[in-house]
Amino acid sequence: MHKSLTSINLFLDYFPSAQFAGIHVAKKLGLFEQRGLLCNVLKPSGAGGEEPELVCRMQAMYNSKGREAGKEAEIAVGTVEQNVLIPAIARGVKAMAFGTVFHSSPLAIASLKKLNLKDMEGRRIGMHVDSMELMHTLVSHADSQLSRKVEILEVSREKKVEALVAGEVDAIQIYDCMELLELQRILKGEAPHVLRLEDMVKDSNGRSFLPLGYSQVLFCSRKTLQLDPARQALREFLGASREGWRMAQQKPEQATEAVLEAREELGCLTGTEVDSFQFQLDTLKRVLGYVVEQGREEKVGLIDPHRWQEASNAMAARGYASSFVPVQLSLDQKVWPEEKEQQSVDVSLLQDGLRVSSMMREEAGARAAAIAARTGRKPCLAIVNVGEKDPNGQTRLKLFAEKERSWFDKAALCESVGIDTRRVELPASSSFGRVHDALMSLNRDDGVDAILLERPLPPQLDAELLGSVIVASKDVDAEGFLPGSNKHGVVLGSQGIYQPPLDLGLDLSLSGKDEVVGHPPRVPWTLPTALVLPCTVEGVMQLLLRSGAMPSVTRGLSVVVGRSRKLGAPLALALMQADATVAVCHSRTSEEELRSLCLQADTLFVCAGSPHLISKDMVKKGAIVINVGTTFSSSLSSLLPDVQEDVADVARVLTPTPHGVGPTCAAALTLNVVTLAEARARTRDLEKRHKQEPTESSKYAPVSMADVKKSVPLWSSGTCSSTNREVLQRTFKFKTFLDATAFLDDVAVLSERANHHPSLLLNSASKCEQEDGCHVRVELGTFANLKVTAADINLARRIDMLRA
């Protein structure tokens, strides 16, 4: 029986051209059909910059149609620049990249006269609507005075060249490939002056002030990537596209024919020289320089997660994106076929904790500076110490680390990246109540972003119970990370290993209403989640992520030796959330079982705090061994690792002691502080926006039914019987009552943030079985206006994205 093809609808952000030659070749030669796909290429629709929202909205519609028809849903895929996708994700769009067309950004400005940053005063720069903010960011950061002397104007793709030639603007935005050649054609061979946006502003080290990352990024709805059939389809899509690009490189003339056929098929011919074979062939030759990276010919379409994260971080640090977007929330690294050359591990980096910690602290410094610019103050860490400090701390500081990177001088560590610290010193005789009150005071202090309770505590104090007093929004070492120990549950590390919404609304209010006689008052928690991983666990995960070892970890068996609440257990959970297969050994595991499991481990994490526990004959040849546990010997003035040194003879990698995992744990503290500070800053911004945002008449202006059908095609219009006002209506179907109530919670959050509230009707639990599931009916209307308004449409779009 012939298997039906999976439909992939590709929404381009630019007209069919040589920029997508590999895809056009694959489509013409039937490479998609050979892989079980039907690829429909669609020309751009809507304003530039709205592609992420469009793709998620279309996926929601496809999912709904698929459920109604009992068929596999079509898949919506889009193309867009990384500098458009990251800000969209930061503002809450649930989209995710899985591949790319261009390995770097060809965005540039072109002028008839040579133009550099110093010459821009009084100039008019024509930009597309989705790039105006980018140019404002570059100019303002280069020179705050200059930003007021440069006029940045919106120009359309179709009219910008005319505007430049006519002198209406002094420079225009172009792509340094097809659009550059088109401009040269209009100028009759005269070469315009081109300045790439990444090269406009450099830092003191000569690096780009705002790296733009990748262009023509392939992305889809995040929920699509959670479905195995869809992931397989996207993997086949990438495979066919890559083969298409290989053929385009080998036979550019045939590829050019495919491009011209696609332009004609989609009605994109212009009747100008742009439609000529020679023009498209010249464009393709230029495009291939952006598609095929020298020295990485076999990695066409592959995104380097480190370079991706570097560009994403820079966008947030410069204020171009509203918040930092972790790589795990923006890039799926597992869609590509797992080929050894694509999953290489930087062994030298994996063994160099000092270098990784420097990378982490550099990121923390950039993010801390962005927070300071945004809020008017540096992030602040409060350190609570009860009794004497660790007696070995100063010795370890002198022996193993500089104070700017050591856990044993947190003030210097934080100061080096722009984080303020506040110490709270309490005597060793302090009662539980006194320490509790100190922590509660810091919970209430709006000038404190993060709280660290120093260990060890005096014997009369319950460390776990006191740790649970720290409010989730300030819990920098994830005291409540494990569900069973208290309140937080398990969610997010600073690199996004877990996935809550990016715009978490944190309830920082405190009360003692649930105080019980004989027990300390407990904080009322509105969030069942921790925002960060414990610092040591975060350090380990950073080491894996930045060295490129994570794909290797997730492909094989990971064994964690140790199950402590602060290290072994949360590390195992973090690895599982990263899709690793994990086994845990602990003090009750027999020696025979321990040896057997260790010998099966492709990656072995040892965090038992038992010197020399793991010997050479317990390790599989070629395994990656991460030594996390150490014990300080005061008599030897040295750190004793859990793993014996000769394990390096059989292991592919053995992290060293010292300077292996240790430095990354200290650096993780700084990342955790800025992660919490960013979440609190977002909360304050949301609160301020809700309080100050005036009611705009246009927001509540009536809209036509044509606008409704175009914007939210899955909704219908109706009339509310009780108020006789026009409303938008849609019914959502769920398998279980719990699924339906979870959806209601999400809708409530969206509605509260939009300050626009729907009517919701949920059928009773007793009807679920009769009705083949639960149904939620949503009605949107505006009391101030009896007609459907823009506010109703905007909220309907957001609700649709919940089901994307």
Side-chain angles (χ1 to χ4, degrees):
M1 183 180 292
H2 179 69
K3 184 179 178 181
S4 61
L5 300 177
T6 299
S7 292
I8 291 185
N9 300 322
L10 179 61
F11 294 82
L12 301 181
D13 64 337
Y14 189 67
F15 296 101
S17 68
Q19 291 175 201
F20 306 103
I23 294 170
H24 296 318
V25 169
K27 185 171 173 62
K28 179 179 179 179
L29 298 181
L31 301 182
F32 292 116
E33 286 84 352
Q34 292 172 21
R35 292 171 176 261
L37 304 177
L38 178 63
C39 180
N40 304 305
V41 179
L42 306 171
K43 61 184 180 181
S45 62
E50 295 181 357
E51 292 86 358
E53 288 89 342
L54 170 67
V55 167
C56 289
R57 195 162 62 245
M58 295 306 297
Q59 189 62 62
M61 184 177 74
Y62 296 155
N63 290 348
S64 179
K65 287 183 176 179
R67 282 191 295 268
E68 291 173 2
K71 296 180 180 179
E72 185 179 273
E74 298 176 24
I75 299 173
V77 172
T79 65
V80 78
E81 285 92 353
Q82 183 179 351
N83 62 275
V84 173
L85 183 62
I86 293 300
I89 296 173
R91 63 177 180 262
V93 179
K94 295 180 180 179
M96 182 173 275
F98 61 88
T100 190
V101 177
F102 288 1
H103 62 72
S104 59
S105 173
L107 277 174
I109 56 171
S111 58
L112 302 182
K113 297 179 180 179
K114 189 172 183 180
L115 188 65
N116 58 42
L117 200 58
K118 295 179 181 178
D119 302 324
M120 283 194 177
E121 184 173 337
R123 304 289 185 179
R124 297 157 299 172
I125 313 296
M127 303 293 293
H128 300 171
V129 64
D130 58 341
S131 300
M132 293 179 68
E133 184 62 30
L134 175 61
M135 180 57 71
H136 277 295
T137 300
L138 287 169
V139 172
S140 62
H141 279 279
D143 185 335
S144 58
Q145 298 300 318
L146 183 64
S147 64
R148 292 192 287 270
K149 301 174 183 177
V150 176
E151 193 174 0
I152 300 173
L153 305 172
E154 179 185 342
V155 294
S156 68
R157 298 177 191 273
E158 297 79 14
K159 301 292 184 181
K160 63 184 179 183
V161 175
E162 291 180 21
L164 177 65
V165 174
E168 296 172 9
V169 293
D170 299 295
I172 57 171
Q173 170 188 334
I174 65 164
Y175 245 31
D176 182 26
C177 40
M178 177 174 171
E179 289 183 318
L180 175 62
L181 295 178
E182 185 178 2
L183 183 55
Q184 288 177 338
R185 177 186 64 81
I186 292 173
L187 296 176
K188 298 181 179 179
E190 182 182 344
H193 296 276
V194 177
L195 178 61
R196 292 181 69 230
L197 295 192
E198 283 193 324
D199 298 331
M200 276 185 63
V201 186
K202 302 277 187 156
D203 64 17
S204 58
N205 296 316
R207 296 177 301 188
S208 175
F209 170 80
L210 183 55
L212 301 180
Y214 295 84
S215 282
Q216 307 301 349
V217 170
L218 295 162
F219 72 95
C220 62
S221 159
R222 194 182 300 160
K223 285 187 178 180
T224 300
L225 288 162
Q226 296 171 1
L227 304 173
D228 288 340
R231 291 177 66 84
Q232 182 60 36
L234 293 173
R235 181 175 290 117
E236 298 298 341
F237 173 81
L238 288 174
S241 301
R242 181 168 59 175
E243 186 61 28
W245 278 113
R246 284 175 179 164
M247 292 183 175
Q249 188 179 15
Q250 294 166 3
K251 299 179 179 180
E253 290 79 9
Q254 287 91 324
T256 301
E257 292 287 358
V259 169
L260 290 172
E261 289 176 14
R263 289 175 65 81
E264 182 176 9
E265 181 183 337
L266 294 175
C268 297
L269 295 178
T270 63
T272 67
E273 189 181 339
V274 171
D275 299 329
S276 71
F277 180 89
Q278 190 60 48
F279 183 89
Q280 289 295 332
L281 178 61
D282 292 342
T283 301
L284 175 59
K285 291 176 179 178
R286 195 169 185 89
V287 162
L288 285 171
Y290 284 100
V291 174
V292 184
E293 192 172 2
Q294 189 172 4
R296 292 170 59 91
E297 289 79 6
E298 296 303 313
K299 299 186 178 182
V300 170
L302 182 67
I303 294 176
D304 182 327
H306 308 301
R307 196 155 72 84
W308 175 272
Q309 189 64 58
E310 180 184 14
S312 299
N313 289 347
M315 291 174 200
R318 311 312 183 204
Y320 182 62
S322 61
S323 63
F324 283 83
V325 179
V327 67
Q328 272 77 9
L329 291 187
S330 60
L331 173 63
D332 189 302
Q333 302 174 53
K334 295 184 179 180
V335 171
W336 272 93
E338 293 178 349
E339 298 178 1
K340 290 183 179 179
E341 67 268 20
Q342 293 178 345
Q343 305 294 352
S344 58
V345 179
D346 187 337
V347 172
S348 64
L349 189 58
L350 185 57
Q351 293 179 309
D352 193 346
L354 290 174
R355 186 149 61 105
V356 172
S357 73
S358 294
M359 297 164 64
M360 294 165 65
R361 289 188 299 113
E362 183 179 355
E363 178 189 328
R367 294 167 64 180
I371 294 167
R374 180 178 179 179
T375 65
R377 68 168 180 83
K378 296 178 181 179
C380 179
L381 168 67
I383 304 168
V384 179
N385 185 69
V386 185
E388 295 182 6
K389 297 180 183 178
D390 186 337
N392 296 317
Q394 289 305 306
T395 304
R396 295 177 66 169
L397 176 59
K398 291 176 183 178
L399 288 173
F400 306 123
E402 304 166 9
K403 62 181 182 179
E404 290 82 6
R405 61 169 93 229
S406 174
W407 184 267
F408 298 100
D409 194 339
K410 299 180 186 67
L413 170 69
C414 290
E415 183 182 355
S416 70
V417 298
I419 295 172
D420 285 337
T421 55
R422 186 189 304 179
R423 289 199 68 88
V424 177
E425 297 286 352
L426 298 173
S429 59
S430 295
S431 66
F432 182 97
R434 182 170 181 181
V435 181
H436 172 274
D437 290 347
L439 292 172
M440 290 293 286
S441 176
L442 293 171
N443 282 341
R444 296 186 181 94
D445 191 335
D446 200 43
V448 171
D449 297 297
I451 302 170
L452 178 68
L453 180 60
E454 291 269 44
R455 305 294 182 91
L457 291 173
Q460 77 273 16
L461 299 176
D462 185 326
E464 290 190 18
L465 192 55
L466 280 171
S468 72
V469 174
I470 301 173
V471 69
S473 60
K474 299 186 180 186
D475 187 2
V476 76
D477 200 22
E479 294 284 352
F481 183 83
L482 289 182
S485 64
N486 61 26
K487 79 279 182 177
H488 297 0
V490 182
V491 181
L492 175 70
S494 72
Q495 289 299 309
I497 295 159
Y498 304 95
Q499 300 180 6
L502 284 175
D503 55 350
L504 282 169
L506 307 182
D507 186 346
L508 304 181
S509 63
L510 299 173
S511 72
K513 291 181 180 179
D514 52 351
E515 183 172 348
V516 180
V517 176
H519 295 276
R522 305 304 296 270
V523 180
W525 307 110
T526 58
L527 274 181
T529 58
L531 295 182
V532 293
L533 293 169
C535 293
T536 305
V537 177
E538 177 71 12
V540 174
M541 302 302 284
Q542 290 278 343
L543 194 64
L544 298 174
L545 288 164
R546 292 177 187 266
S547 65
M550 188 61 81
S552 294
V553 172
T554 57
R555 283 202 303 273
L557 173 65
S558 294
V559 173
V560 177
V561 180
R563 61 172 177 182
S564 66
R565 194 182 69 83
K566 292 289 289 181
L567 181 49
L571 176 59
L573 284 171
L575 290 168
M576 284 190 289
Q577 286 286 348
D579 292 333
T581 302
V582 181
V584 179
C585 300
H586 46 79
S587 58
R588 298 298 179 92
T589 304
S590 70
E591 290 186 16
E592 183 180 347
E593 289 174 317
L594 173 63
R595 179 181 297 274
S596 174
L597 281 168
C598 287
L599 281 169
Q600 296 176 56
D602 299 289
T603 310
L604 182 61
F605 299 87
V606 188
C607 39
S610 179
H612 306 137
L613 173 67
I614 303 299
S615 57
K616 179 178 177 179
D617 61 344
M618 298 173 67
V619 176
K620 179 180 179 180
K621 187 174 182 179
I624 294 175
V625 181
I626 310 295
N627 188 100
V628 188
T630 59
T631 304
F632 181 71
S633 170
S634 55
S635 61
L636 298 175
S637 293
S638 66
L639 280 178
L640 305 179
D642 285 1
V643 180
Q644 297 176 18
E645 291 182 5
D646 63 356
V647 165
D649 296 340
V650 295
R652 178 186 180 189
V653 181
L654 170 61
T655 57
T657 300
H659 303 154
V661 170
T664 67
C665 304
L669 174 65
T670 65
L671 283 177
N672 281 0
V673 173
V674 295
T675 297
L676 296 178
E678 287 162 358
R680 285 168 47 75
R682 288 196 296 273
T683 302
R684 287 192 292 268
D685 288 348
L686 284 170
E687 291 172 349
K688 193 179 298 182
R689 198 178 308 148
H690 290 162
K691 289 178 182 177
Q692 298 177 356
E693 187 178 68
T695 300
E696 302 172 12
S697 57
S698 60
K699 182 177 178 181
Y700 296 107
V703 294
S704 67
M705 283 301 105
D707 287 335
V708 171
K709 290 180 180 179
K710 180 180 177 181
S711 303
V712 284
L714 299 177
W715 295 70
S716 60
S717 61
T719 303
C720 176
S721 58
S722 59
T723 62
N724 201 36
R725 60 191 169 96
E726 193 177 80
V727 293
L728 288 180
Q729 301 171 333
R730 184 181 173 189
T731 298
F732 297 86
K733 182 179 176 182
F734 300 89
K735 289 183 179 179
T736 68
F737 188 75
L738 286 176
D739 289 340
T741 55
F743 173 72
L744 289 175
D745 288 341
D746 290 340
V747 171
V749 171
L750 283 179
S751 305
E752 189 64 24
R753 288 173 183 161
N755 195 25
H756 194 64
H757 302 93
S759 297
L760 302 169
L761 177 64
L762 171 65
N763 64 302
S764 66
S766 61
K767 292 184 179 180
C768 289
E769 188 174 341
Q770 303 171 29
E771 299 289 340
D772 189 28
C774 274
H775 295 78
V776 175
R777 183 178 179 83
V778 182
E779 290 188 352
L780 296 171
T782 304
F783 282 102
N785 191 320
L786 297 181
K787 299 291 185 180
V788 172
T789 66
D792 300 317
I793 288 181
N794 288 336
L795 185 53
R797 282 175 172 171
R798 290 175 175 268
I799 293 172
D800 281 347
M801 288 182 190
L802 292 175
R803 297 283 284 163

